[in-house]
Structure formats: structure tokens, C-alpha cells
Amino acid sequence: MLPNPIYDDRRASMKNQLVELAGQLAPRHGYNPTALPTVRILRTETVLRDIPVLYNPGAVFVLQGSKQGLLEGDIYLYDEDHYLAVSVPVPFRMTSTASPQRPLLAIYLEFDMQMAAEIAMQIEKHAGPATTLPKGLTSSRMGDDIEDVLLRLLIALGSAVDIAVLGASILRELHYRVMVGPQGAAVVAALQRKGTSGKLVQSLVWIRENYGSDIAVADLAKDVGMSVPSYHMHFKKLTGSSPIQYLKALRLHEARLMIARQSGTIAQVAISVGYVSPAQFSRDFKRHFGRTASEEVKWVRHHLGEQA
């Protein structure tokens, strides 16, 4: 296909607009909240390497700079040409590229799960049930349809009236565009929660809601009608982690947020996320993040802001 100068110029102009608007809405380092609770904009000027992350279900749209996630040897690129869709929360490692001269700017959308489920039902009604297995992470090329919605979203975020009148409809369209995108079937499959994979997704939801409790893998397997070996196999296929590894990572990430938000002493936080021994918590925390809890709090506030 021959290059189309007019199309290329229009695309470049849209990308420049997206970066300019995002920069205005994200004046400070770290995560910047917006008028929509489920939308944040990240600004960072630092190269980050091998950072443990765990995203809630949603999507990340990098407008400037680049990120890549590593999970079980697979690389998920999300940069100016690709976005990341997260259908179930999975712990992975992230590297990003940025500089003071060219900061990374990214829109983080956390799915409104009720809205997403309603859209999934409509998709199933008109297109049939998803045939793709759920997948924790998917990386897709950023199409014109996604960029168009993002541009309208950023414009609306600059106006209280626009957000009040148009915010919900733009958010709904953005959810829809992700869910019918190149790899959206994996997201829809996770929301439909059918079959063996659906049972695993329901199990993940339960774990996230009860991570501070005493949780036994045998009980998790029994609740979804699987043997322990079968549960282990399907769990790792969906998340890239064993159930125990997943639970530990979830507890540590939740603890990290609580400590950064000053929700109690480190010992109190350790107990609240399910650790019996604060000493064991401290050892696991440093092994996972590469820093002590106190050091990590400073790192999070410096790089991501207090509400990371």
C-alpha cells in the first residue's frame, strides 16, 4: 500500500493534540486524577526498569514514550502505537522509557465493571458468545477509532460542562472500542465468565475481595469444582502465576498502597493484608520490590504520586 501523505499528516496532528491535552491535564509528576474517577493520567520523566506492577481490569494508552510488560517470558508492548488491555489483574514486571525533554504521558482507564458487563452482554446478544479464552494481558495496535475517542475524552476532561453532559457516553464508547478491538475477545470472555475459564475468573474476583483472609488453595479448587492440580494448571495459564504466588503478590501490592497512603504502621498493614508475621512480610516485600517498605513509600511518592 502506497503512503498517504494527507492521512499521515492528519494522524500526526491528532497525536500531537493528544500529547498536548494530556500534558495540560497532567501537570505534576506521577498519576494525575481527572474529573472522571476511573480515568487517571500518568506523567513520568524517568526511565524505569523491571518494576513490579499489578493493574486492575482496564486499559493503558501511552500517548508519548513507551512501556513494556514482561510476563512468563512474553513481552507486551504498550507505546504510542499500541495499548494494553487488562482483563484480569495479573502481577508482571514493567519497563518504561521517558526523559525530562520527552516525558511519558499515558491514560489509565479502570473498567467500570458494571458498564463493561452490560456491553459484554450486548456484544454476546448480537455477535454470539466469545470463543477466545480469557487472557490477563493483551497488547493491541492503537487504531484510529481508539485515538478518536481518546481525543474527545481529553477535550471533555477540560470542561466541567462537557464531562457532566458527555463524560458517561464517551467512557462507554471507550470501553466498547477496547472490547471489540483486535484482542478484545479475551476481555469479553473474562467478563462473560463461562466455562472453566469463567470459574477461574470468578475465583480471582473472590481472592481480590478476601486477600486478607486465611486462604487455602484446596478450598479455592473445591469452590470451582476442580481438583487441586487442575486448578493450579488453569490458574497459571490465566495469570502466569501459581495461586500462592498470585496471592502473595496481591497482598504485597495492596500493602504498598496502604503504606504509601499512611493507612497504619508497617506491622498493622502486614496483618491487615493477611500476614501473621511482620518479619516475614518485610522479607517478602523487599524480595518482591527490591526495597524495604519505607524505601518503597519514598519511591512511590516520588515516581507515581501518593495515589498510585
Side-chain angles (χ1 to χ4, degrees):
M1 182 180 295
L2 293 174
N4 185 332
I6 296 176
Y7 171 79
D8 291 342
D9 288 346
R10 187 169 66 245
R11 187 104 192 275
S13 175
M14 177 177 283
K15 285 183 174 293
N16 289 337
Q17 280 184 277
L18 286 167
V19 170
E20 182 178 353
L21 290 167
Q24 292 170 0
L25 291 165
R28 67 176 181 81
H29 204 59
Y31 286 104
N32 292 256
T34 71
L36 293 171
T38 58
V39 176
R40 298 179 296 166
I41 302 176
L42 174 69
R43 172 191 286 267
T44 180
E45 301 176 353
T46 308
V47 173
L48 302 177
R49 301 187 190 280
D50 195 34
I51 305 299
V53 294
L54 193 155
Y55 296 151
N56 287 329
V60 185
F61 309 93
V62 175
L63 307 179
Q64 182 170 271
S66 69
K67 286 175 170 278
Q68 68 175 32
L70 182 64
L71 178 63
E72 287 292 290
D74 292 328
I75 295 175
Y76 298 86
L77 183 65
Y78 45 128
D79 58 10
E80 296 165 24
D81 295 314
H82 303 82
Y83 65 94
L84 184 75
V86 182
S87 54
V88 295
V90 293
F92 64 99
R93 315 290 291 194
M94 181 274 297
T95 295
S96 65
T97 302
S99 69
Q101 295 74 30
R102 201 169 188 272
L104 184 142
L105 293 166
I107 299 172
Y108 281 69
L109 168 70
E110 185 171 332
F111 284 154
D112 178 322
M113 297 309 290
Q114 181 176 343
M115 180 187 291
E118 291 170 358
I119 295 171
M121 287 177 61
Q122 289 295 312
I123 292 173
E124 181 177 7
K125 179 180 178 181
H126 294 283
T131 56
T132 303
L133 292 175
K135 192 176 181 184
L137 302 177
T138 53
S139 174
S140 304
R141 181 163 287 277
M142 189 103 73
D144 293 349
D145 53 351
I146 292 282
E147 289 186 339
D148 176 66
V149 184
L150 292 176
L151 181 59
R152 286 185 279 116
L153 173 65
L154 293 178
I155 291 173
L157 285 170
S159 164
V161 176
D162 282 2
I163 281 297
V165 177
L166 302 172
S169 62
I170 296 175
L171 266 187
R172 185 177 183 85
E173 183 179 354
L174 185 54
H175 280 65
Y176 171 73
R177 293 298 175 194
V178 171
M179 293 167 66
V180 296
Q183 300 186 50
V187 177
V188 174
L191 289 164
Q192 290 176 343
R193 300 184 187 179
K194 295 183 178 180
T196 300
S197 297
K199 293 178 181 179
L200 262 295
V201 173
Q202 291 175 355
S203 187
L204 284 177
V205 172
W206 189 90
I207 291 171
R208 284 191 66 80
E209 292 174 349
N210 298 275
Y211 63 84
S213 307
D214 185 18
I215 298 175
V217 176
D219 292 336
L220 294 173
K222 183 180 178 181
D223 287 343
V224 296
M226 294 183 189
S227 67
V228 171
S230 178
Y231 183 83
H232 265 276
M233 180 185 71
H234 286 96
F235 194 100
K236 186 158 189 178
K237 190 172 182 180
L238 178 62
T239 67
S241 305
S242 72
I244 294 299
Q245 289 172 330
Y246 184 90
L247 178 60
K248 181 184 290 187
L250 176 59
R251 285 173 168 170
L252 293 172
H253 279 276
E254 292 295 333
R256 178 200 202 200
L257 288 176
M258 294 171 68
I259 294 169
R261 294 169 182 172
Q262 298 179 323
S263 301
T265 65
I266 292 175
Q268 290 170 335
V269 168
I271 292 170
S272 71
V273 299
Y275 273 83
V276 175
S277 165
Q280 184 62 50
F281 167 79
S282 295
R283 286 192 293 271
D284 286 350
F285 194 99
K286 186 168 185 179
R287 188 178 300 117
H288 188 75
F289 292 107
R291 288 175 285 269
T292 66
S294 299
E295 292 168 344
E296 183 66 10
V297 169
K298 295 176 183 177
W299 187 94
V300 168
R301 290 178 179 170
H302 176 72
H303 290 281
L304 304 177
E306 290 187 9
Q307 301 302 314

